[in-house]
Amino acid sequence: MSDQPSHAPYDALLLLSFGGPEGPDDVVPFLENVTRGRGIPRERLKEVGQHYFLFGGVSPINDQNRALLSALREDFAARGVGLPVYWGNRNWAPYLTDTLRQMVADGHRRVLALTTSAYASYSGCRQYRENLADALAALEAEGLPLPRVDKLRHYFNHPGFVTPMAEATLAALGRLPEEVRAGAHLAFTTHSIPTAAADTSGPAEGHGDGGAYVAEHLDVARLVAEAVRKETGVEDRPWRLVYQSRSGAPHIPWLEPDICDHLEAVRAEGAPAVVMVPIGFVSDHMEVKYDLDTEAAAKAAELGLPVARAATVGADPRFAAAVRELMLERAATERGERPERCALGSLGPSHDLCPVGCCPARAPRPAAAGADSPYA
């Protein structure tokens, strides 16, 4: 009998991400993919693309996904997990549909998907599930056999995500001048979304007042703040969950405060320094590199406020190990077993199967890998 961990019934893992341009000529076509159906003029997209052009038209996200892909493969191989790992994106090459087509050609029929979004929300969960349904519909139209695709549960409170974030926060504190370190505030940042989308995030029974999106981020912030307290001995270090990267119309309410507004406010209150902790992001992609490292850092410099930014988990080996643990947990569940479900904080482990009414879309669309999936 083999002593290797069993990933049955799954025969492949899909790393499913957002995608990003890899050169100046890619920027506008990429943004057209992201905003398709919204009627945004090409000239406006060129203006939006300036963030990418500042970095040579290259988003960091693709190289970071390549690094995570390598970390997952190395971890699986070291632990005797013979599960191949593929990579597909929503908005740029390698495209999700092309990747699923290749997986089918390679003989895979039970696929488990890892999305590079740790929390519940429409854009962070259901939209990925809609993209999966679109890709499966394309394969169906081509007459190809359809794989069953399941999605890993939300991993925001798994130790393999929380612990690297806590250590990165401590490392950022250590980069501040010693005289301001003990009094430094923590600003936990995530992507702002419309308040209406936040209020309906997660299962329907938890809708309202920020829904699962805000609750999950607050739970991680508390965990990291407590880890910092234990390590530094500073008992009353102020912290707050703040937001960044707003992109919607001004008249639509979005989650606040914005990170730059928050920096102004705490500086006025006498904060000696701030550590920005991007708990809402898996890797240092463009919204971290520009919105925090460029825009927020410039605001802090203008205010004379020392700041440091904590790293994201990226391809940390502990995160790769967490993915393996989550995959084996889900595989065991699918086999009818009752594995231990690891989670920190007060919310417990998330659901395996997104229920009906979870993170609803503005206009109903088919979504795979959930209780309402047409591809069960």
Side-chain angles (χ1 to χ4, degrees):
M1 179 180 294
S2 172
D3 59 357
Q4 293 182 343
S6 176
H7 52 75
Y10 296 106
D11 54 26
L13 180 73
L14 168 65
L15 173 62
L16 175 54
S17 193
F18 193 81
E22 303 216 64
D25 293 342
D26 296 344
V27 172
V28 172
F30 162 73
L31 292 173
E32 288 175 333
N33 287 342
V34 173
T35 61
R36 194 172 306 283
R38 301 182 199 172
I40 299 177
R42 190 176 178 87
E43 289 306 310
R44 174 58 182 151
L45 294 180
K46 288 180 181 178
E47 294 175 16
V48 173
Q50 290 306 312
H51 295 181
Y52 291 97
F53 292 127
L54 286 174
F55 294 85
V58 179
S59 170
I61 193 170
N62 288 333
D63 276 346
Q64 288 159 4
N65 280 326
R66 292 183 184 101
L68 178 55
L69 199 67
S70 294
L72 291 170
R73 288 169 174 164
E74 290 172 10
D75 178 90
F76 285 12
R79 294 300 182 118
V81 177
L83 195 72
V85 187
Y86 293 74
W87 170 36
N89 291 322
R90 286 167 46 179
N91 299 299
W92 203 248
Y95 288 103
L96 171 59
T97 302
D98 295 336
T99 300
L100 278 181
R101 189 182 293 114
Q102 184 60 56
M103 295 174 84
V104 167
D106 292 344
H108 301 299
R109 299 294 182 267
R110 287 295 303 270
V111 175
L112 193 55
L114 160 70
T115 61
T116 52
S117 176
Y119 301 86
S121 70
Y122 170 74
S123 57
C125 183
R126 184 173 178 93
Q127 193 169 15
Y128 280 102
R129 294 175 48 226
E130 291 176 351
N131 297 143
L132 279 167
D134 291 343
L136 290 168
L139 268 58
E140 187 175 37
E142 296 170 14
L144 295 174
L146 297 186
R148 173 174 162 179
V149 183
D150 295 328
K151 178 180 173 292
L152 282 178
R153 66 177 171 92
H154 301 303
Y155 48 83
F156 63 93
N157 56 3
H158 193 284
F161 184 80
V162 175
T163 301
M165 286 304 315
E167 291 187 5
T169 305
L170 288 164
L173 273 170
R175 292 194 296 273
L176 289 171
E178 186 174 359
E179 63 271 18
V180 299
R181 205 173 292 161
H185 292 212
L186 304 180
F188 295 99
T189 77
T190 191
H191 206 301
S192 184
I193 62 175
T195 56
D199 291 347
T200 57
S201 59
E205 61 269 19
H207 287 179
D209 196 22
Y213 188 74
V214 171
E216 290 169 0
H217 281 87
L218 285 172
D219 214 35
V220 174
R222 291 187 193 100
L223 287 166
V224 173
E226 176 60 16
V228 170
R229 183 196 67 79
K230 288 181 177 178
E231 185 65 27
T232 63
V234 177
E235 294 291 334
D236 56 352
R237 187 184 304 278
W239 65 266
R240 184 165 183 181
L241 177 63
V242 302
Y243 302 92
Q244 60 175 92
S245 313
R246 175 181 172 140
S247 59
H251 68 281
I252 298 175
W254 282 52
L255 294 173
E256 296 178 337
D258 177 78
I259 177 62
C260 290
D261 294 339
H262 177 69
L263 293 177
E264 286 188 347
V266 297
R267 186 54 162 170
E269 294 167 2
V274 172
V275 171
M276 300 181 290
V277 189
I279 57 171
F281 304 90
V282 172
S283 64
D284 287 7
H285 56 67
M286 187 57 71
E287 288 167 316
V288 175
K289 301 298 287 183
Y290 181 81
D291 296 338
L292 293 183
D293 294 354
T294 305
E295 192 173 52
K299 171 57 71 173
E302 173 190 318
L303 297 168
L305 177 66
V307 294
R309 198 264 294 173
T312 52
V313 297
D316 190 294
R318 291 166 295 185
F319 180 52
V323 173
R324 168 175 43 80
E325 291 170 9
L326 289 165
M327 179 274 296
L328 293 174
E329 170 201 295
R330 180 62 182 274
T333 301
E334 291 294 307
R335 296 194 302 268
E337 301 169 19
R338 300 184 65 181
E340 180 182 356
R341 294 166 59 81
C342 191
L344 301 175
S346 63
L347 298 180
S350 185
H351 48 264
D352 281 334
L353 195 67
C354 291
V356 176
C358 194
C359 304
R362 290 182 294 274
R365 287 181 54 195
D372 54 356
S373 172
Y375 299 105

